Amino acid sequence: MASVLCQSDGVYKEPRVPLVVTYDSDADAAYIYLQHPVTSDASERIVPFDPREGMFNLDIDHDAHVLGLEILGARRHLPSALLEAILRQDQAETEDQ
């Protein structure tokens, strides 16, 4: 069953979907998944944009759906609270293993 977006006070609302974000500290790169999981062969096209301020890449599948967003130079571009939350989650998952 498809969900429907409802607009209230200029804000679109629908049931919350967990945000899946990964971060590679060696590469200083984050990946925000809009579809999860994404297989290594799912992306048919990568659309880069804003090369002056960093490198951002949209991964697009064969149906022209956006799979996710890669952010290079993530420490500079992501809100610090989001980056800290990603790092805490990564640490918690490492401790659970």
Side-chain angles (χ1 to χ4, degrees):
M1 178 176 222
S3 64
V4 177
L5 291 174
C6 300
Q7 187 173 11
S8 170
D9 299 326
V11 177
Y12 287 95
K13 298 178 181 180
E14 70 174 76
R16 291 183 182 235
V17 176
L19 180 65
V20 177
V21 182
T22 58
Y23 177 70
D24 179 338
S25 59
D26 292 333
D28 189 24
Y31 194 87
I32 301 171
Y33 290 86
L34 301 179
Q35 177 178 314
H36 190 265
V38 174
T39 60
S40 61
D41 62 343
S43 180
E44 180 173 290
R45 185 168 44 122
I46 297 172
V47 180
F49 60 97
D50 201 8
R52 292 183 322 241
E53 297 296 323
M55 182 57 76
F56 305 91
N57 297 309
L58 288 175
D59 287 336
I60 312 292
D61 73 6
H62 66 280
D63 292 323
H65 296 134
V66 179
L67 300 171
L69 169 65
E70 179 184 32
I71 302 170
L72 303 177
R75 286 196 178 279
R76 189 170 98 198
H77 297 293
L78 288 179
S80 58
L82 176 59
L83 190 55
E84 290 169 12
I86 296 165
L87 293 172
R88 279 194 306 273
Q89 180 64 34
D90 287 349
Q91 183 179 10
E93 289 175 2
T94 301
E95 290 172 358
D96 288 344
Q97 292 177 1

